[in-house]
Each structure stands twice: as structure tokens, then as C-alpha cells.
């Protein structure tokens, strides 16, 4: 398949994360087409905007932006018309819907979603907890966790935990090692949601082989033996079933999809305590 490319300019008066996520999610729907991203964060002055416009003039394409200043918005749209670059204020349709429903007008505050409020510090606290409780570390205070991830090696426990921490969930992850029981404290926990992660033996073997290659280690160990890996996974399944812990198969899931499923499970888990 011949792949085509287009320039995608993302102009933000904040970090640009919203635009990056929206742009990539939309572009991913077009097979055989890839975006050449130009990201311009923290554009809050005319001088900064003019440098952005210069780059758009050099490589015209689609322009997505989140600018709250009316003068900057008008100047950018004017430049986009001059270069025949379609432009869209990504948040404007959402603002119009909210204004219509709420009967109120928004206050122009660049980067308002990133203010140092209680939610921000909650995410920082969650990240600190998660990093300190990676790979089975500090099991003594697991009851402070919101989520505990269990799984054999290479089931994406760490990246999933970090993603959940960024959502404000204190997440510990514990590896299941052949011949070693999980921490006994797990059986007495009530507050945290314990989730088991599994994957197909083929997928686990592939990831482990790549890991050994990067470390230039011996590839003949049981660590990458298909039957040994299948036994590990079967053993982890029995453990999860015994304790009635929910299980997520990550074989064909992205980190984001796995995390979204866990967030949903955590919401249901919290409701059990609210209902009591």
C-alpha cells in the first residue's frame, strides 16, 4: 500500500496534549495516511504566533488549535485562509454546546485544565505511590492503593500502572513469579481493586524474547519456553479465579484500552462501599 502524508499543525496556548490526542485519534481512522505533526505549545503572544504562521506558510496543511485569545485566533485564521490551510478550533463546538445548555459564558483562561488544584496534586500523589510500588516493592502498605495489578512477567503491568496513576489512581503492581506465592497480605485487602492481567503464551514469549535480545542474555531459559510460559499463565488464572479477582486479557489491548477497562472496574468497586 502506498502511504500518503499531510502536514498537521497543532497550535495551543497550553501544553497541546488535547490537540495531540484529538489529532492522532482522528488521523488513525484513515488507512494509508500519516500525519506529519507540527506541535506548537504555549502560544500566548503575537510574536510566538507569527513564528507558528511562518511554519504553516512553509508547509501548508490542516491546522487544529486551542487559543482563547480572540486576537490570536483571528490572526491565525487569517493566515490559514491565505495559505488555503483548513483550520478548526477544536474546543469551540464543545464550548457552544456547554453555553447553550448551561446558559453561561466561559472565562478565557489558557491552560485552565492544568491549574495546580486538588485534582492535580492527587495525580502527583498517585504517581509517587505508583513508582514506589512498582514490581512488588513496598507491599506493607498495599491497602492504601486504589488498584493492584497482578500478572506474570511482560503483561504490561508497569506501563498500565503509570497510566492509571496519571488518572489519579494509586496503583501497585506485583509480578507473579513461578514457585513464589504472592504476598499473603493480598488476601486480607478490602479497599483496593485487585486485577489480574494475562496474555496469550505466544505474545508473552515474543515480548520476552525481545527483552532478552536487548539484554544480550541467554535465550534458552524457561523464561521464553512456550510450555513453561503457558503453565505460568494457567497458574495465574487459577489464582485469579480462586480469589474472584477480575481478569483482563491484554494480548490485543493497548495500554489505554486496558486502563479504561480498569477505571470502569474501579468505579464499580467503589460503588460497593458507597452502597454499604
Amino acid at each position: 500500500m502506498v502511504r500518503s502524508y499531510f502536514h498537521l499543525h497543532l497550535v495551543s496556548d497550553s501544553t497541546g496534549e488535547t490537540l495531540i490526542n484529538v489529532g492522532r485519534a482522528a488521523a488513525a481512522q484513515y488507512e494509508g495516511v500519516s500525519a506529519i505533526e507540527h506541535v506548537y505549545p504555549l502560544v500566548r503572544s503575537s510574536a510566538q504566533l507569527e513564528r507558528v504562521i511562518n511554519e504553516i506558510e512553509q508547509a501548508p496543511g490542516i491546522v487544529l488549535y486551542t487559543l482563547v485569545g480572540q486576537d490570536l485566533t483571528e490572526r491565525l485564521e487569517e493566515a490559514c485562509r491565505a495559505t488555503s490551510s483548513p483550520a478548526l478550533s477544536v474546543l469551540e463546538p464543545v464550548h457552544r454546546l456547554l453555553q447553550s445548555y448551561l446558559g453561561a459564558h466561559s472565562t478565557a483562561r489558557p491552560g485552565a485544565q492544568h491549574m495546580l488544584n486538588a485534582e492535580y496534586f492527587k495525580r502527583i500523589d498517585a504517581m509517587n505511590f505508583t513508582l514506589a510500588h512498582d514490581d512488588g516493592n513496598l507491599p506493607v502498605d498495599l491497602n492504601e492503593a486504589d488498584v493492584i495489578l497482578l500478572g506474570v512477567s511482560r503483561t504490561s503491568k508497569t506501563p498500565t500502572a503509570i497510566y492509571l496513576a496519571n488518572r489519579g489512581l494509586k496503583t501497585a503492581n506485583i509480578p507473579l513469579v513461578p514457585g513464589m506465592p504472592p504476598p499473603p497480605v493480598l488476601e486480607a485487602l478490602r479497599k483496593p481493586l485487585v486485577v489480574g492481567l494475562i496474555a496469550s503464551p505466544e505474545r508473552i514469549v515474543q515480548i520476552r524474547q525481545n527483552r532478552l535480545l536487548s539484554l544480550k542474555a541467554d535465550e534458552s531459559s524457561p523464561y521464553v519456553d512456550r510450555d513453561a510460559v503457558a503453565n505460568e499463565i494457567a497458574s495465574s488464572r487459577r489464582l485469579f479465579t480462586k480469589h474472584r479477582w477480575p481478569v483482563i486479557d491484554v494480548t490485543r489491548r493497548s495500554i489505554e484500552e486496558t486502563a479504561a477497562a480498569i477505571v470502569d472496574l474501579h468505579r464499580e468497586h467503589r460503588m460497593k462501599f458507597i452502597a454499604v
Side-chain angles (χ1 to χ4, degrees):
M1 178 185 296
V2 178
R3 181 165 292 276
S4 60
Y5 298 86
F6 70 98
H7 292 280
L8 178 61
H9 298 272
L10 307 172
V11 188
S12 174
D13 52 21
S14 185
T15 63
E17 292 177 18
T18 299
L19 287 175
I20 291 171
N21 291 334
V22 171
R24 289 178 180 175
Q29 306 304 313
Y30 296 88
E31 190 174 358
V33 179
S34 294
I36 301 173
E37 292 181 357
H38 306 263
V39 183
Y40 315 98
L42 303 174
V43 178
R44 298 179 180 178
S45 71
S46 297
Q48 291 170 327
L49 182 61
E50 290 305 320
R51 287 194 288 270
V52 171
I53 290 173
N54 181 62
E55 292 203 31
I56 295 174
E57 291 172 343
Q58 298 299 316
I62 294 176
V63 178
L64 302 180
Y65 66 90
T66 53
L67 299 173
V68 298
Q70 187 63 30
D71 54 341
L72 296 181
T73 298
E74 292 177 354
R75 174 67 184 110
L76 177 60
E77 290 180 344
E78 176 189 0
C80 288
R81 287 193 295 270
T83 58
S84 298
S85 298
L88 175 67
S89 172
V90 169
L91 294 180
E92 184 59 30
V94 180
H95 283 313
R96 286 200 301 268
L97 178 63
L98 288 173
Q99 288 175 5
S100 174
Y101 184 78
L102 299 174
H105 292 281
S106 62
T107 302
R109 292 185 300 165
Q113 72 271 36
H114 300 294
M115 292 179 64
L116 302 184
N117 54 19
E119 190 65 26
Y120 174 84
F121 288 107
K122 177 184 176 183
R123 292 202 307 272
I124 296 300
D125 190 34
M127 186 65 72
N128 288 335
F129 180 93
T130 299
L131 293 175
H133 293 75
D134 181 42
D135 205 28
N137 289 322
L138 301 177
V140 292
D141 59 347
L142 285 178
N143 200 50
E144 294 182 18
D146 297 306
V147 176
I148 299 174
L149 304 180
L150 299 180
V152 303
S153 174
R154 304 297 125 185
T155 46
S156 302
K157 297 183 299 297
T158 294
T160 302
I162 292 175
Y163 191 95
L164 290 169
N166 196 47
R167 296 286 299 271
L169 294 177
K170 293 182 179 179
T171 309
N173 80 82
I174 298 174
L176 297 178
V177 181
M180 293 182 59
V185 67
L186 283 174
E187 299 185 16
L189 297 178
R190 185 169 179 266
K191 173 183 174 286
L193 168 70
V194 181
V195 179
L197 302 182
I198 62 168
S200 69
E202 293 75 17
R203 178 59 174 161
I204 295 296
V205 169
Q206 179 187 37
I207 298 174
R208 289 183 179 183
Q209 286 175 335
N210 291 337
R211 174 66 171 167
L212 291 183
L213 280 174
S214 68
L215 297 175
K216 296 181 180 180
D218 181 15
E219 297 181 51
S220 62
S221 71
Y223 185 67
V224 292
D225 179 79
R226 200 271 178 198
D227 291 337
V229 172
N231 287 334
E232 283 186 57
I233 297 170
S235 178
S236 70
R237 278 186 178 274
R238 289 193 294 270
L239 176 69
F240 303 150
T241 300
K242 174 184 176 182
H243 295 283
R244 297 181 180 180
W245 291 326
V247 178
I248 297 177
D249 189 332
V250 302
T251 304
R252 293 181 176 84
R253 287 179 184 258
S254 66
I255 299 299
E256 294 84 355
E257 290 171 325
T258 301
I262 293 172
V263 169
D264 196 42
L265 288 170
H266 182 257
R267 186 181 301 112
E268 295 179 7
H269 181 72
R270 287 180 56 200
M271 291 301 296
K272 296 177 183 177
F273 297 96
I274 296 175
V276 173

